Amino acid sequence: MMQEATPVKPDGRIAKTRVSKTRSFEKSLQRDGSLYLLALPGIVILILFAYLPMSGLILVFKNYNFNDGIFGSPWAGFSNFEFFFSSMEDAMRATRNTVMLNVLYMATGTFFSVAIAIILNELRSKWFVKITQSVMFFPYFISWIIIGAILFSLLDYDKGIMNQMFTALGLGQVDWYSSPWLFVIVMVLANIWKSAGYGAIIYYSVLQGIDTSFYEAARIDGASRWQIITKITVPMLIPSIILMSLLNIGGMLKGDLSMVMGVTFLNPLLLPTTDIIDVYVYRTAIRSGEFGFASAITLYQSVFGFILVLVANKLAGWYDKDSKLF
């Protein structure tokens, strides 16, 4: 007669599973302990400066005051959001300006960064490339306040160098600080000057990792330099371009307040195109101490930025599965 199989209790299975997971984790620590130790400072910094401050999101639903503090202030519900969207015209203008400027920054910055990286990759003089990299990287560390002072000396209506040149050439003077749409060009050019060198170094490092056998085979087949750039170099850069674009899209609704303040001095005549969300929050909330309202708009920016990343990541996956962030 066949013996009946002894049933295994669920608790026994769970205990065995836990033991196996514990042993596998111990083996992982023994094998990759140095890597875990190397990652530990970054994990601690991420928790301290990225996750713990998220507890401050409670301010979004609070009517904050200094006497009661964050947790003692009375609840406000969704009134902080209502305050932003109550003036729909200003809210839409701030959102439109933020998206418009960030799209221009990302498009022009990527184009010039890639172009500079390709030019550096085509140069044969290594010492010249190193010097050029250092020179281009330097503007990235210059404060927007200093850049704003430089631009003012160039664009001032009465004493600016540009208007003096126009006058010498018999042309009319341009009042840059009273022309909102014209000043958009100034801000885009300033952003290119400041950040293109930084982006070029990133793309140039990617080009250094390309297998040189591709170029050698192309030269043997008689390909011109332009054909090598368009058929090998640019396609090899596309995954990195997509990755950098996805990372930038996450901050599409976040503007650079220091840039606008340093370059425009919050000139009210330029607000039709420079009144981004961060500037709007600063003007209407930070100055008056409405931190709950400022936190609500920050949450609004983060949520929609996350949605944009999800959509862009999906589109990138349709183009190339390996180019997705997740």
Side-chain angles (χ1 to χ4, degrees):
M1 295 179 63
M2 296 180 62
Q3 295 181 355
E4 295 183 359
T6 303
V8 179
K9 295 182 179 180
D11 294 342
R13 287 199 299 267
I14 294 173
K16 290 180 180 179
T17 303
R18 288 176 177 173
V19 170
S20 61
K21 288 183 177 180
T22 302
R23 289 177 179 175
S24 63
F25 180 69
E26 290 176 355
K27 291 180 180 180
S28 177
L29 282 178
Q30 293 175 358
R31 184 180 64 252
D32 304 322
S34 59
L35 297 178
Y36 285 116
L37 187 62
L38 185 65
L40 184 61
I43 295 174
V44 172
I45 291 174
L46 183 66
I47 293 173
L48 290 178
F49 295 99
Y51 286 97
L52 288 182
M54 290 180 68
S55 61
L57 288 176
I58 195 176
L59 277 175
V60 174
F61 309 102
K62 291 274 191 173
N63 187 12
Y64 177 77
N65 61 77
F66 290 98
N67 294 328
D68 296 327
I70 296 178
F71 299 101
S73 298
W75 293 96
F78 291 94
S79 61
N80 289 319
F81 292 99
E82 294 173 0
F83 181 78
F84 177 64
F85 291 104
S86 61
S87 179
M88 185 57 66
E89 183 179 353
D90 292 338
M92 292 303 298
R93 184 181 74 171
T95 304
R96 180 203 65 197
N97 291 341
T98 305
V99 174
M100 176 192 69
L101 289 175
N102 280 322
V103 168
L104 290 175
Y105 294 157
M106 187 169 63
T108 57
T110 301
F111 174 80
F112 282 97
S113 295
V114 171
I116 294 171
I118 293 174
I119 292 173
L120 293 177
N121 190 57
E122 293 296 317
L123 295 176
R124 295 292 177 263
S125 178
K126 297 300 181 182
W127 66 269
F128 181 78
V129 171
K130 291 181 179 180
I131 295 175
T132 305
Q133 283 180 310
S134 301
V135 172
M136 290 189 305
F137 197 52
F138 178 72
Y140 182 76
F141 298 100
I142 298 179
S143 169
W144 280 114
I145 303 299
I146 298 175
I147 295 175
I150 296 173
L151 287 175
F152 186 77
S153 65
L154 292 173
L155 306 177
D156 182 52
Y157 185 80
D158 296 321
K159 300 179 180 180
I161 297 175
M162 294 295 295
N163 279 334
Q164 291 181 7
M165 291 175 57
F166 291 157
T167 303
L169 295 173
L171 303 175
Q173 292 180 317
V174 178
D175 193 356
W176 301 90
Y177 289 94
S178 299
S179 306
W181 290 101
L182 187 60
F183 208 82
V184 170
I185 301 175
V186 175
M187 296 182 66
V188 170
L189 293 176
N191 183 75
I192 292 172
W193 179 79
K194 181 174 171 59
S195 63
Y198 174 80
I201 292 176
I202 295 176
Y203 292 119
Y204 179 73
S205 63
V206 174
L207 292 177
Q208 297 307 297
I210 298 177
D211 191 350
T212 56
S213 61
F214 292 114
Y215 296 106
E216 294 172 358
R219 294 189 186 97
I220 292 174
D221 291 337
S224 64
R225 177 169 290 188
W226 178 250
Q227 289 174 327
I228 292 175
I229 293 174
T230 55
K231 302 299 182 181
I232 298 178
T233 304
V234 173
M236 289 291 185
L237 280 176
I238 287 179
S240 299
I241 294 174
I242 294 175
L243 177 62
M244 296 297 293
S245 299
L246 288 175
L247 295 175
N248 290 329
I249 286 173
M252 187 67 72
L253 287 183
K254 291 185 179 293
D256 193 341
L257 177 62
S258 60
M259 176 186 182
V260 178
M261 293 181 64
V263 174
T264 69
F265 311 109
L266 295 183
N267 187 340
L269 297 176
L270 300 177
L271 288 180
T273 56
T274 62
D275 190 23
I276 59 178
I277 294 177
D278 291 52
V279 173
Y280 177 75
V281 172
Y282 175 78
R283 293 191 299 107
T284 58
I286 302 300
R287 285 180 174 177
S288 59
E290 296 290 341
F291 296 105
F293 170 61
S295 300
I297 303 308
T298 302
L299 181 61
Y300 160 76
Q301 291 174 300
S302 300
V303 170
F304 275 85
F306 178 67
I307 294 174
L308 288 175
V309 169
L310 292 178
V311 174
N313 187 66
K314 188 68 175 180
L315 295 175
W318 289 344
Y319 174 79
D320 182 12
K321 293 182 179 180
D322 295 332
S323 299
K324 295 174 64 176
L325 284 175
F326 46 85

